[in-house]
Coordinates of all heavy atoms in Angstrom, one line a residue:
M1 N 41.2 97.1 95.4 CA 41.7 98.4 95.3 C 43.2 98.3 94.9 O 43.9 97.5 95.5 CB 41.5 99.2 96.6 CG 40.1 99.7 96.8 SD 39.9 100.9 98.1 CE 40.8 100.2 99.5
P2 N 43.7 99.2 94.1 CA 45.1 99.3 93.9 C 45.9 99.6 95.2 O 45.3 100.2 96.1 CB 45.3 100.4 92.9 CG 43.9 100.6 92.3 CD 42.9 100.1 93.3
P3 N 47.1 99.2 95.3 CA 47.9 99.3 96.5 C 47.9 100.7 97.1 O 47.9 100.9 98.3 CB 49.3 98.8 96.2 CG 49.2 98.1 94.9 CD 47.9 98.5 94.2
G4 N 48.1 101.7 96.3 CA 48.2 103.1 96.8 C 46.9 103.8 97.0 O 46.9 104.9 97.5
L5 N 45.8 103.2 96.7 CA 44.5 103.8 96.8 C 43.9 103.7 98.2 O 44.0 102.6 98.8 CB 43.5 103.1 95.8 CG 42.2 103.8 95.6 CD1 42.3 105.2 95.0 CD2 41.3 103.0 94.8
E6 N 43.5 104.8 98.8 CA 42.9 104.8 100.1 C 41.5 105.3 100.1 O 41.0 105.9 99.1 CB 43.7 105.8 101.0 CG 45.1 105.4 101.2 CD 45.9 106.4 102.0 OE1 45.4 107.5 102.3 OE2 47.0 106.0 102.4
L7 N 40.8 105.1 101.1 CA 39.4 105.5 101.2 C 39.2 107.0 101.0 O 38.3 107.5 100.4 CB 38.8 105.1 102.6 CG 37.3 105.4 102.8 CD1 36.5 104.6 101.8 CD2 36.9 104.9 104.2
A8 N 40.2 107.8 101.6 CA 40.2 109.2 101.4 C 40.2 109.6 99.9 O 39.6 110.6 99.5 CB 41.4 109.8 102.1
D9 N 41.0 108.9 99.1 CA 41.1 109.1 97.7 C 39.7 108.9 97.0 O 39.3 109.7 96.1 CB 42.1 108.2 97.0 CG 43.5 108.5 97.5 OD1 43.8 109.6 97.9 OD2 44.3 107.5 97.6
I10 N 39.0 107.9 97.4 CA 37.7 107.6 96.9 C 36.7 108.7 97.3 O 35.9 109.2 96.4 CB 37.2 106.2 97.3 CG1 38.1 105.1 96.8 CG2 35.8 106.0 96.9 CD1 37.9 103.8 97.3
F11 N 36.8 109.1 98.5 CA 35.9 110.2 99.0 C 36.2 111.5 98.3 O 35.3 112.2 97.9 CB 36.0 110.4 100.5 CG 35.3 109.4 101.3 CD1 35.5 109.3 102.7 CD2 34.4 108.5 100.8 CE1 34.8 108.4 103.5 CE2 33.7 107.6 101.5 CZ 33.9 107.6 102.9
R12 N 37.5 111.8 98.0 CA 37.8 113.0 97.3 C 37.3 113.0 95.9 O 36.8 114.0 95.4 CB 39.3 113.2 97.3 CG 39.9 113.8 98.6 CD 41.3 114.1 98.5 NE 41.9 114.0 99.8 CZ 42.7 112.9 100.2 NH1 43.0 112.0 99.3 NH2 43.2 112.8 101.4
R13 N 37.4 111.9 95.3 CA 37.0 111.8 93.8 C 35.5 111.6 93.6 O 35.0 112.3 92.8 CB 37.7 110.6 93.2 CG 37.5 110.5 91.7 CD 38.4 109.5 91.1 NE 38.1 109.5 89.6 CZ 38.7 108.8 88.8 NH1 39.7 108.0 89.2 NH2 38.4 108.9 87.5
H14 N 34.9 110.8 94.4 CA 33.5 110.5 94.2 C 32.5 111.0 95.3 O 31.3 110.9 95.2 CB 33.3 109.0 94.1 CG 34.1 108.4 93.0 ND1 33.8 108.6 91.6 CD2 35.2 107.6 93.0 CE1 34.6 107.9 90.9 NE2 35.5 107.3 91.7
G15 N 33.1 111.6 96.4 CA 32.3 112.0 97.5 C 31.2 113.1 97.1 O 30.0 112.9 97.5
P16 N 31.6 114.1 96.4 CA 30.6 115.2 96.1 C 29.4 114.6 95.3 O 28.3 114.9 95.5 CB 31.4 116.2 95.3 CG 32.8 116.0 95.8 CD 32.9 114.6 96.1
T17 N 29.7 113.7 94.4 CA 28.6 113.1 93.5 C 27.8 112.2 94.4 O 26.5 112.3 94.3 CB 29.3 112.3 92.4 OG1 30.2 113.1 91.7 CG2 28.2 111.8 91.5
Y18 N 28.4 111.5 95.3 CA 27.6 110.6 96.2 C 26.7 111.4 97.1 O 25.6 111.0 97.3 CB 28.6 109.7 97.0 CG 27.9 108.7 97.9 CD1 27.5 107.5 97.4 CD2 27.7 109.0 99.2 CE1 26.8 106.6 98.2 CE2 27.1 108.1 100.1 CZ 26.6 106.9 99.5 OH 26.0 106.0 100.4
V19 N 27.3 112.4 97.7 CA 26.5 113.3 98.6 C 25.3 113.9 97.9 O 24.2 114.0 98.4 CB 27.4 114.4 99.3 CG1 26.6 115.4 100.0 CG2 28.4 113.7 100.2
Q20 N 25.6 114.4 96.6 CA 24.5 115.0 95.9 C 23.4 113.9 95.5 O 22.2 114.2 95.6 CB 25.1 115.6 94.6 CG 24.1 116.4 93.8 CD 24.7 117.0 92.6 OE1 25.8 116.7 92.2 NE2 24.0 118.0 92.0
A21 N 23.8 112.7 95.2 CA 22.9 111.7 94.8 C 22.0 111.2 96.0 O 20.9 110.8 95.8 CB 23.6 110.5 94.1
H22 N 22.6 111.2 97.2 CA 22.0 110.7 98.4 C 21.7 111.9 99.4 O 21.7 111.7 100.6 CB 22.8 109.7 99.0 CG 23.0 108.5 98.2 ND1 24.1 108.4 97.3 CD2 22.4 107.3 98.1 CE1 24.0 107.2 96.7 NE2 23.0 106.6 97.1
D23 N 21.3 113.0 98.8 CA 21.2 114.2 99.6 C 20.2 114.1 100.8 O 20.5 114.4 101.9 CB 20.7 115.4 98.7 CG 20.8 116.7 99.4 OD1 21.7 116.9 100.3 OD2 19.9 117.6 99.2
G24 N 19.1 113.5 100.5 CA 18.1 113.3 101.6 C 18.3 112.2 102.6 O 17.7 112.2 103.6
H25 N 19.3 111.4 102.3 CA 19.6 110.2 103.1 C 20.8 110.3 104.0 O 21.0 109.5 104.8 CB 19.6 109.0 102.3 CG 18.4 108.7 101.5 ND1 17.2 108.3 102.0 CD2 18.1 108.9 100.2 CE1 16.3 108.2 101.1 NE2 16.8 108.6 99.9
L26 N 21.7 111.3 103.7 CA 22.9 111.4 104.5 C 22.7 112.5 105.5 O 22.3 113.6 105.2 CB 24.1 111.9 103.6 CG 24.7 110.8 102.7 CD1 25.8 111.4 101.8 CD2 25.2 109.7 103.5
G27 N 23.0 112.1 106.7 CA 22.9 113.1 107.8 C 24.2 113.9 108.0 O 25.2 113.7 107.3
R28 N 24.1 114.8 108.9 CA 25.3 115.7 109.2 C 26.4 114.8 109.7 O 27.6 115.1 109.3 CB 24.9 116.7 110.3 CG 26.0 117.7 110.6 CD 25.5 118.7 111.6 NE 25.0 118.2 112.8 CZ 25.7 118.0 113.9 NH1 27.0 118.4 113.9 NH2 25.2 117.5 115.0
L29 N 26.2 113.8 110.5 CA 27.3 113.0 111.0 C 28.0 112.2 109.9 O 29.2 112.2 109.9 CB 26.7 111.9 112.0 CG 27.7 110.9 112.6 CD1 28.7 111.7 113.4 CD2 27.0 109.9 113.4
E30 N 27.3 111.7 108.9 CA 27.9 111.0 107.8 C 28.7 111.9 107.0 O 29.9 111.6 106.6 CB 26.8 110.3 106.9 CG 26.2 109.1 107.6 CD 25.0 109.4 108.5 OE1 24.6 110.6 108.6 OE2 24.5 108.5 109.1
R31 N 28.2 113.1 106.7 CA 29.0 114.1 106.0 C 30.3 114.5 106.7 O 31.3 114.7 106.1 CB 28.2 115.3 105.6 CG 27.1 115.0 104.5 CD 26.4 116.2 104.0 NE 25.8 117.0 105.0 CZ 24.6 116.9 105.4 NH1 23.8 116.0 104.9 NH2 24.1 117.7 106.4
R32 N 30.2 114.7 108.0 CA 31.3 115.1 108.8 C 32.4 113.9 108.9 O 33.6 114.2 108.8 CB 30.9 115.4 110.3 CG 30.2 116.7 110.3 CD 29.8 117.1 111.7 NE 31.0 117.3 112.6 CZ 31.0 117.3 113.9 NH1 29.9 117.2 114.5 NH2 32.1 117.5 114.5
V33 N 32.0 112.7 108.9 CA 32.9 111.6 108.9 C 33.6 111.6 107.5 O 34.8 111.4 107.5 CB 32.2 110.2 109.2 CG1 33.1 109.1 108.8 CG2 31.7 110.2 110.6
M34 N 32.9 111.7 106.5 CA 33.5 111.7 105.1 C 34.5 112.9 105.0 O 35.6 112.7 104.5 CB 32.4 111.9 104.0 CG 31.6 110.7 103.8 SD 30.3 110.9 102.6 CE 31.3 111.1 101.1
S35 N 34.2 114.0 105.6 CA 35.1 115.2 105.5 C 36.3 114.9 106.4 O 37.5 115.2 105.9 CB 34.4 116.4 106.0 OG 35.3 117.5 106.1
A36 N 36.2 114.3 107.5 CA 37.3 114.0 108.4 C 38.3 113.0 107.7 O 39.5 113.2 107.8 CB 36.8 113.5 109.7
I37 N 37.7 112.0 107.1 CA 38.6 111.0 106.4 C 39.3 111.7 105.2 O 40.5 111.4 105.0 CB 37.7 109.8 106.0 CG1 37.2 109.0 107.2 CG2 38.5 108.9 105.1 CD1 36.2 108.0 107.0
E38 N 38.6 112.6 104.5 CA 39.3 113.2 103.4 C 40.5 114.1 103.9 O 41.5 114.2 103.2 CB 38.3 114.1 102.7 CG 37.3 113.4 101.8 CD 36.3 114.4 101.2 OE1 36.6 115.6 101.0 OE2 35.1 114.0 101.0
L39 N 40.3 114.8 105.0 CA 41.3 115.7 105.5 C 42.4 115.1 106.3 O 43.4 115.7 106.6 CB 40.7 116.8 106.3 CG 39.7 117.7 105.5 CD1 39.0 118.7 106.5 CD2 40.3 118.4 104.4
C40 N 42.2 113.8 106.7 CA 43.1 113.1 107.6 C 44.6 113.1 107.1 O 44.8 112.7 105.9 CB 42.7 111.7 107.9 SG 43.6 110.9 109.2
R41 N 45.5 113.5 107.9 CA 46.9 113.5 107.5 C 47.2 114.3 106.3 O 48.0 113.8 105.4 CB 47.5 112.1 107.5 CG 47.4 111.4 108.8 CD 48.1 110.1 108.9 NE 47.9 109.6 110.3 CZ 47.9 108.3 110.5 NH1 48.0 107.4 109.6 NH2 47.7 107.9 111.7
T42 N 46.6 115.4 106.2 CA 46.9 116.4 105.1 C 47.3 117.7 105.7 O 47.1 117.9 106.9 CB 45.7 116.6 104.2 OG1 44.6 117.2 104.9 CG2 45.2 115.3 103.5
A43 N 47.7 118.6 104.9 CA 48.1 120.0 105.4 C 47.0 120.7 106.0 O 47.2 121.6 106.8 CB 48.8 120.8 104.3
A44 N 45.7 120.4 105.6 CA 44.6 121.1 106.1 C 44.4 121.0 107.6 O 43.9 121.9 108.3 CB 43.3 120.5 105.4
L45 N 44.9 119.9 108.2 CA 44.8 119.7 109.6 C 46.1 120.1 110.3 O 46.2 119.9 111.6 CB 44.5 118.2 110.0 CG 43.1 117.7 109.5 CD1 43.0 116.2 109.9 CD2 42.0 118.5 110.1
G46 N 47.0 120.6 109.6 CA 48.3 121.0 110.2 C 49.3 119.9 110.4 O 49.0 118.7 110.0
G47 N 50.4 120.2 110.9 CA 51.4 119.1 111.1 C 52.6 119.7 111.8 O 52.6 120.8 112.3
H48 N 53.7 118.9 111.8 CA 54.9 119.3 112.4 C 56.1 118.7 111.6 O 55.9 117.7 110.9 CB 55.0 118.9 113.9 CG 54.8 117.5 114.1 ND1 53.5 116.9 114.2 CD2 55.6 116.5 114.3 CE1 53.6 115.6 114.4 NE2 54.9 115.3 114.5
V49 N 57.3 119.3 111.8 CA 58.5 118.8 111.1 C 59.3 118.0 112.0 O 59.6 118.4 113.1 CB 59.3 120.0 110.5 CG1 60.5 119.6 109.8 CG2 58.4 120.9 109.6
E50 N 59.7 116.8 111.5 CA 60.6 115.9 112.3 C 61.9 115.9 111.6 O 62.0 115.8 110.4 CB 60.0 114.5 112.4 CG 58.6 114.5 113.1 CD 58.0 113.1 113.0 OE1 58.4 112.3 112.1 OE2 57.1 112.8 113.8
G51 N 63.0 116.0 112.4 CA 64.3 115.9 111.8 C 65.2 114.9 112.6 O 65.1 114.7 113.8
C52 N 66.1 114.3 111.9 CA 67.1 113.4 112.4 C 68.4 114.2 112.6 O 69.0 114.7 111.6 CB 67.3 112.2 111.5 SG 68.6 111.1 112.1
R53 N 68.9 114.2 113.8 CA 70.2 114.9 114.1 C 71.4 114.2 113.5 O 72.4 114.8 113.1 CB 70.4 115.1 115.6 CG 69.4 116.1 116.2 CD 69.6 116.3 117.6 NE 68.6 117.2 118.1 CZ 68.3 117.2 119.4 NH1 68.9 116.5 120.3 NH2 67.3 118.1 119.8
A54 N 71.3 112.8 113.4 CA 72.4 112.0 112.9 C 72.6 112.2 111.4 O 73.7 112.5 111.0 CB 72.2 110.6 113.3
C55 N 71.6 112.0 110.6 CA 71.7 112.1 109.2 C 71.2 113.4 108.5 O 71.4 113.6 107.4 CB 71.1 110.9 108.5 SG 69.3 110.9 108.6
G56 N 70.5 114.2 109.3 CA 69.9 115.4 108.8 C 68.7 115.3 107.9 O 68.2 116.2 107.4
A57 N 68.1 114.1 107.9 CA 66.8 113.9 107.2 C 65.7 114.6 107.9 O 65.6 114.7 109.1 CB 66.5 112.4 107.1
V58 N 64.8 115.2 107.0 CA 63.7 116.0 107.5 C 62.5 115.5 106.9 O 62.5 115.2 105.7 CB 63.9 117.5 107.2 CG1 62.7 118.3 107.6 CG2 65.2 118.0 107.9
R59 N 61.4 115.4 107.6 CA 60.1 115.0 107.0 C 59.0 115.7 107.7 O 59.1 116.1 108.9 CB 59.9 113.5 107.1 CG 59.4 112.9 108.4 CD 59.1 111.5 108.3 NE 58.5 111.1 109.6 CZ 57.5 110.3 109.9 NH1 57.0 109.7 108.8 NH2 57.1 110.1 111.1
V60 N 57.9 115.9 107.0 CA 56.7 116.6 107.6 C 55.7 115.5 108.0 O 55.4 114.6 107.2 CB 56.1 117.5 106.5 CG1 54.8 118.2 107.1 CG2 57.1 118.6 106.1
A61 N 55.3 115.6 109.2 CA 54.3 114.6 109.7 C 53.0 115.4 109.9 O 52.9 116.3 110.7 CB 54.7 114.0 111.0
Y62 N 51.9 115.1 109.1 CA 50.7 115.8 109.2 C 49.8 115.2 110.3 O 49.9 114.0 110.6 CB 49.9 115.7 107.9 CG 50.6 116.5 106.8 CD1 51.2 115.8 105.7 CD2 50.8 117.9 106.9 CE1 51.8 116.5 104.7 CE2 51.4 118.6 105.9 CZ 51.9 117.9 104.8 OH 52.6 118.6 103.8
N63 N 49.0 116.0 110.9 CA 48.1 115.6 112.0 C 47.0 114.7 111.5 O 46.5 114.9 110.3 CB 47.5 116.8 112.7 CG 48.6 117.6 113.4 OD1 49.6 117.1 113.8 ND2 48.3 118.9 113.6
S64 N 46.5 113.8 112.3 CA 45.4 112.9 111.9 C 44.1 113.5 112.4 O 44.0 114.3 113.3 CB 45.6 111.5 112.5 OG 45.6 111.5 113.9
C65 N 43.0 113.0 111.9 CA 41.6 113.4 112.3 C 41.2 112.8 113.6 O 40.3 113.3 114.3 CB 40.6 113.1 111.2 SG 40.3 111.3 110.9
R66 N 41.7 111.6 113.9 CA 41.4 110.9 115.1 C 39.9 110.5 115.2 O 39.3 110.3 116.3 CB 41.8 111.7 116.4 CG 43.3 111.9 116.4 CD 43.7 112.5 117.7 NE 43.7 111.5 118.7 CZ 43.8 111.8 120.0 NH1 43.9 113.0 120.4 NH2 43.7 110.9 120.9
N67 N 39.3 110.4 114.0 CA 37.9 110.0 114.0 C 37.8 108.5 114.1 O 38.6 107.8 113.6 CB 37.3 110.4 112.6 CG 35.8 110.2 112.6 OD1 35.3 109.1 112.6 ND2 35.0 111.3 112.5
R68 N 36.8 108.0 114.9 CA 36.8 106.6 115.1 C 36.4 105.7 113.9 O 36.6 104.5 113.9 CB 35.8 106.3 116.3 CG 34.4 106.5 115.9 CD 33.5 106.2 117.1 NE 32.1 106.4 116.8 CZ 31.2 105.5 117.0 NH1 31.5 104.3 117.5 NH2 30.0 105.7 116.7
H69 N 35.9 106.4 112.9 CA 35.6 105.7 111.6 C 36.7 105.7 110.6 O 36.6 105.0 109.6 CB 34.4 106.3 111.0 CG 33.2 106.3 111.9 ND1 32.8 107.4 112.7 CD2 32.3 105.3 112.2 CE1 31.7 107.0 113.4 NE2 31.4 105.8 113.1
C70 N 37.8 106.4 110.9 CA 38.9 106.6 109.9 C 39.8 105.4 109.9 O 40.3 105.0 110.9 CB 39.7 107.8 110.2 SG 41.1 108.1 109.1
P71 N 40.0 104.7 108.7 CA 40.9 103.6 108.7 C 42.3 103.9 109.0 O 43.0 103.0 109.5 CB 40.7 103.0 107.3 CG 40.1 104.1 106.5 CD 39.4 105.0 107.5
K72 N 42.8 105.1 108.7 CA 44.2 105.4 108.9 C 44.4 105.6 110.4 O 45.4 105.2 111.0 CB 44.5 106.8 108.3 CG 44.8 106.7 106.8 CD 45.2 108.1 106.3 CE 44.8 108.3 104.9 NZ 45.1 109.7 104.5
C73 N 43.5 106.2 111.1 CA 43.6 106.5 112.5 C 43.3 105.3 113.4 O 43.9 105.0 114.4 CB 42.7 107.6 113.0 SG 43.1 109.2 112.1
Q74 N 42.3 104.5 113.0 CA 41.8 103.5 113.9 C 42.1 102.1 113.4 O 41.8 101.1 114.1 CB 40.3 103.6 114.1 CG 39.9 104.9 114.6 CD 40.6 105.3 115.9 OE1 40.8 104.5 116.8 NE2 40.8 106.6 116.1
G75 N 42.8 101.9 112.3 CA 43.2 100.6 111.8 C 44.0 99.8 112.8 O 43.8 98.6 113.0
A76 N 45.1 100.4 113.3 CA 45.9 99.7 114.3 C 45.2 99.4 115.5 O 45.4 98.3 116.1 CB 47.2 100.6 114.6
V77 N 44.3 100.3 116.0 CA 43.6 100.0 117.2 C 42.7 98.8 117.0 O 42.6 97.9 117.9 CB 42.8 101.2 117.6 CG1 41.9 100.9 118.8 CG2 43.7 102.4 118.0
A78 N 42.0 98.8 115.9 CA 41.1 97.6 115.6 C 41.9 96.3 115.5 O 41.4 95.3 115.9 CB 40.3 97.9 114.3
C79 N 43.0 96.4 114.9 CA 43.9 95.2 114.7 C 44.3 94.7 116.1 O 44.2 93.5 116.4 CB 45.1 95.5 113.9 SG 46.1 94.1 113.6
R80 N 44.7 95.6 117.0 CA 45.1 95.2 118.3 C 43.9 94.6 119.1 O 44.0 93.6 119.8 CB 45.7 96.3 119.1 CG 47.1 96.5 118.8 CD 47.7 97.7 119.7 NE 47.6 98.8 118.8 CZ 47.5 100.1 119.1 NH1 47.3 100.4 120.4 NH2 47.4 101.0 118.3
A81 N 42.7 95.2 119.0 CA 41.6 94.7 119.6 C 41.2 93.3 119.1 O 40.8 92.4 119.9 CB 40.4 95.6 119.4
T82 N 41.3 93.1 117.8 CA 41.0 91.8 117.2 C 42.0 90.7 117.8 O 41.6 89.6 118.1 CB 41.1 91.8 115.7 OG1 40.2 92.8 115.2 CG2 40.7 90.5 115.1
N83 N 43.2 91.1 117.8 CA 44.2 90.1 118.4 C 44.0 89.8 119.8 O 44.2 88.7 120.2 CB 45.6 90.7 118.2 CG 46.1 90.6 116.7 OD1 45.5 89.8 116.0 ND2 47.0 91.5 116.4
K84 N 43.5 90.8 120.6 CA 43.2 90.5 122.0 C 42.0 89.5 122.1 O 42.0 88.6 123.0 CB 42.8 91.8 122.7 CG 44.0 92.6 123.1 CD 43.5 93.8 123.9 CE 44.7 94.7 124.2 NZ 44.3 96.0 124.9
V85 N 41.0 89.7 121.3 CA 39.9 88.7 121.3 C 40.4 87.3 120.9 O 40.0 86.4 121.6 CB 38.8 89.2 120.3 CG1 37.8 88.1 120.1 CG2 38.2 90.5 120.8
R86 N 41.3 87.2 120.0 CA 41.8 85.9 119.6 C 42.6 85.3 120.7 O 42.5 84.1 121.0 CB 42.7 86.0 118.4 CG 41.9 86.2 117.1 CD 42.9 86.1 115.9 NE 42.2 86.6 114.7 CZ 42.8 87.4 113.8 NH1 44.0 87.7 113.9 NH2 42.1 87.8 112.8
I87 N 43.3 86.1 121.4 CA 44.2 85.6 122.5 C 43.3 85.1 123.7 O 43.6 84.0 124.2 CB 45.2 86.6 123.0 CG1 46.2 86.9 121.9 CG2 45.9 86.2 124.3 CD1 47.1 88.1 122.1
F88 N 42.3 85.9 124.1 CA 41.6 85.6 125.3 C 40.3 84.8 125.0 O 39.6 84.4 126.0 CB 41.2 86.9 126.0 CG 42.4 87.6 126.5 CD1 42.8 88.8 126.0 CD2 43.2 87.0 127.5 CE1 43.9 89.4 126.5 CE2 44.3 87.6 128.0 CZ 44.7 88.9 127.5
S89 N 39.9 84.5 123.8 CA 38.7 83.7 123.6 C 39.1 82.2 123.7 O 40.2 81.8 123.4 CB 38.2 83.9 122.2 OG 39.1 83.6 121.2
P90 N 38.2 81.4 124.2 CA 38.4 80.0 124.4 C 38.5 79.3 123.0 O 37.9 79.7 122.0 CB 37.2 79.4 125.1 CG 36.2 80.4 124.9 CD 36.8 81.8 124.7
R91 N 39.3 78.2 123.0 CA 39.5 77.5 121.7 C 38.1 76.8 121.4 O 37.5 76.2 122.3 CB 40.6 76.5 121.8 CG 41.9 77.2 121.9 CD 43.0 76.1 121.6 NE 44.2 76.8 121.2 CZ 44.7 76.9 120.0 NH1 44.0 76.3 119.0 NH2 45.8 77.5 119.7
L92 N 37.8 76.8 120.2 CA 36.5 76.2 119.7 C 36.9 74.9 118.9 O 37.9 74.9 118.2 CB 35.7 77.1 118.9 CG 35.2 78.4 119.6 CD1 34.5 79.3 118.5 CD2 34.3 78.1 120.7
S93 N 36.0 74.0 119.0 CA 36.3 72.8 118.2 C 35.9 73.1 116.7 O 35.3 74.1 116.5 CB 35.4 71.6 118.7 OG 34.0 71.9 118.4
R94 N 36.4 72.3 115.9 CA 36.1 72.5 114.4 C 34.6 72.5 114.2 O 34.1 73.3 113.4 CB 36.7 71.3 113.6 CG 36.7 71.6 112.2 CD 37.5 70.6 111.3 NE 38.2 69.6 112.0 CZ 38.4 68.4 111.6 NH1 38.0 68.1 110.4 NH2 39.1 67.5 112.3
Y95 N 33.8 71.7 114.9 CA 32.4 71.6 114.7 C 31.8 73.0 115.1 O 30.9 73.5 114.4 CB 31.8 70.5 115.6 CG 30.3 70.5 115.5 CD1 29.6 70.0 114.4 CD2 29.5 70.9 116.6 CE1 28.3 69.9 114.3 CE2 28.2 70.8 116.6 CZ 27.5 70.4 115.4 OH 26.2 70.3 115.4
S96 N 32.2 73.6 116.2 CA 31.7 74.8 116.7 C 32.0 76.0 115.7 O 31.2 76.8 115.5 CB 32.2 75.2 118.1 OG 31.9 74.2 119.0
R97 N 33.2 76.0 115.2 CA 33.6 77.0 114.3 C 32.8 76.9 113.0 O 32.4 77.9 112.4 CB 35.1 76.9 113.9 CG 36.0 77.5 115.0 CD 37.4 77.6 114.5 NE 37.9 76.3 114.0 CZ 38.9 75.6 114.6 NH1 39.5 76.1 115.6 NH2 39.2 74.5 114.1
A98 N 32.5 75.7 112.5 CA 31.7 75.5 111.3 C 30.3 76.0 111.5 O 29.7 76.6 110.6 CB 31.7 74.1 110.9
R99 N 29.7 75.8 112.7 CA 28.4 76.3 113.0 C 28.3 77.8 113.1 O 27.3 78.4 112.8 CB 27.8 75.6 114.2 CG 27.7 74.1 114.0 CD 26.7 73.5 114.9 NE 25.4 74.1 114.8 CZ 24.5 74.0 115.7 NH1 24.7 73.3 116.8 NH2 23.3 74.5 115.6
L100 N 29.4 78.4 113.6 CA 29.4 79.9 113.8 C 29.5 80.6 112.4 O 29.1 81.7 112.3 CB 30.5 80.3 114.7 CG 30.3 79.9 116.2 CD1 31.6 80.2 117.0 CD2 29.1 80.5 116.8
A101 N 30.2 80.0 111.5 CA 30.4 80.7 110.2 C 29.2 80.7 109.3 O 28.2 80.3 109.5 CB 31.5 79.9 109.5

């Protein structure tokens, strides 16, 4: 994927066609997840304005969907969990790692 392309962009562009093509196979949950990812951190979910008193810079921070399937919301959580597993898992020999892969 190009650097600026996100899953939400793909869902916005190709989602309706995908839903129409797989109409009988997508449940309500799948459609809701797609919708949450599309709306995540956009004006549709609202937001707030943050300002710096020192320099006067102002930025709008949009609310997230907090869906557990959303890569924007849960990417950092998944990364932290993966690192915890690496830290607390016992070291494996090269032979064991080769057999697990």
Side-chain angles (χ1 to χ4, degrees):
M1 284 193 310
L5 189 63
E6 296 179 349
L7 184 59
D9 298 326
I10 295 170
F11 281 171
R12 281 187 209 103
R13 184 168 182 179
H14 301 289
T17 306
Y18 182 82
V19 169
Q20 187 178 14
H22 297 88
D23 188 35
H25 302 288
L26 286 177
R28 184 175 58 94
L29 178 65
E30 289 84 6
R31 288 191 303 270
R32 287 182 64 193
V33 168
M34 288 177 68
S35 176
I37 292 172
E38 287 177 29
L39 298 176
C40 186
R41 297 191 182 147
T42 63
L45 295 181
H48 55 278
V49 178
E50 298 175 341
C52 176
R53 292 183 183 159
C55 70
V58 177
R59 81 175 183 139
V60 177
Y62 293 113
N63 296 333
S64 63
C65 66
R66 301 186 71 193
N67 188 293
R68 69 183 182 122
H69 301 97
C70 179
K72 284 186 208 172
C73 297
Q74 304 304 328
V77 174
C79 183
R80 276 183 263 148
T82 303
N83 287 337
K84 282 183 183 178
V85 169
R86 284 187 193 140
I87 291 169
F88 294 113
S89 64
R91 291 192 161 259
L92 299 173
S93 68
R94 190 173 357 151
Y95 176 74
S96 298
R97 282 191 303 247
R99 293 202 59 200
L100 291 174

